[in-house]
Amino acid sequence: FSEAASWQDAELPGTITIGDNGDRFWLKSKVTIPHSLAGQDVYLELGRSTAALEIYVDGILMNTHGTIDPQFNISHVSNTLAYIPAAAIKNDAVEITIRCRAGSTHVVFEQFYLVDGARYFKTKLYQNFLNNTVYYMMAAICMFIGLYFLFQFFSDSKEKSSRSFSMMLFTVSIYFFDMATGK
């Protein structure tokens, strides 16, 4: 599974140990499409991986999880689902190749499942809302309350707690914004 070494078997979902092979590796598999997904839109759900990923279906880049190049970045909160086009499914199987870059010696793949369009919709609706939109909302609320306490401090500069509370809320706002962004 590494560019520097020969191919090795890996069981997913699970943890892959990188070792001394560097931080870049490839996963490749021919996946059989279950009969329960026949005739439906099919997606590969990877969950929140601890590596930056590029997902190729039948040699075509379909989705990314974080970025590998030019700057290494891992999205820790997003659940990645890659669309598998019907044209790529041949004899009820599809060739999936994943280019990976890890930031540590172990990479965790929490999920590695084929799912239907209903699961895709639910994941995008709920998880993106909870993992991104709510964090953006919390960042905006903390920023607004921080501004309120900053104005409280300017109106009565003897009240030092308003200044401290304002600075703390600005810091928490930056934290929530960082959690919400993909980069």
Side-chain angles (χ1 to χ4, degrees), residues 62-73:
M62 287 308 206
N63 206 341
T64 60
H65 178 82
T67 56
I68 295 176
D69 292 315
Q71 183 177 353
F72 177 59
N73 178 45

Side-chain angles (χ1 to χ4, degrees), residues 9-164:
D9 290 334
E11 185 73 28
L12 297 179
T15 301
I16 296 176
T17 303
I18 307 302
D20 297 330
N21 295 329
D23 66 345
R24 297 171 188 254
F25 62 97
W26 290 81
L27 298 170
K28 184 175 182 178
S29 180
K30 189 168 190 173
V31 179
T32 303
I33 305 297
H35 292 293
S36 62
L37 296 176
Q40 299 182 46
D41 287 340
V42 179
Y43 298 85
L44 173 65
E45 183 172 3
L46 293 169
R48 296 176 301 227
S49 176
T50 58
L53 310 171
E54 291 177 349
I55 300 102
Y56 296 88
V57 175
D58 204 24
I60 300 168
L61 178 65
M62 287 308 206
N63 206 341
T64 60
H65 178 82
T67 56
I68 295 176
D69 292 315
Q71 183 177 353
F72 177 59
N73 178 45
I74 301 170
S75 176
H76 292 283
V77 296
S78 67
N79 183 355
T80 301
L81 290 105
Y83 177 66
I84 299 176
I89 301 171
K90 296 172 180 89
N91 297 326
D92 295 330
V94 65
E95 176 120 351
I96 297 175
T97 308
I98 303 174
R99 181 178 175 218
C100 308
R101 182 170 180 194
S104 65
T105 59
H106 294 77
V107 176
V108 177
F109 289 91
E110 291 180 353
Q111 296 171 314
F112 200 86
Y113 306 114
L114 293 174
V115 297
D116 61 2
R119 170 70 181 163
Y120 173 81
F121 179 73
K122 187 194 299 187
T123 300
K124 285 298 179 185
L125 177 67
Y126 296 123
Q127 287 185 352
N128 280 357
F129 176 73
L130 293 174
N131 288 337
N132 294 353
T133 308
V134 170
Y135 286 138
Y136 279 126
M137 291 168 31
M138 293 299 293
I141 290 168
C142 288
M143 183 65 73
F144 176 76
I145 297 172
L147 284 172
Y148 170 79
F149 280 102
L150 187 64
F151 288 134
Q152 287 287 91
F153 170 72
F154 286 137
S155 66
D156 184 10
S157 60
K158 293 179 183 155
E159 179 59 49
K160 304 277 188 225
S161 63
S162 292
R163 178 184 64 191
S164 299

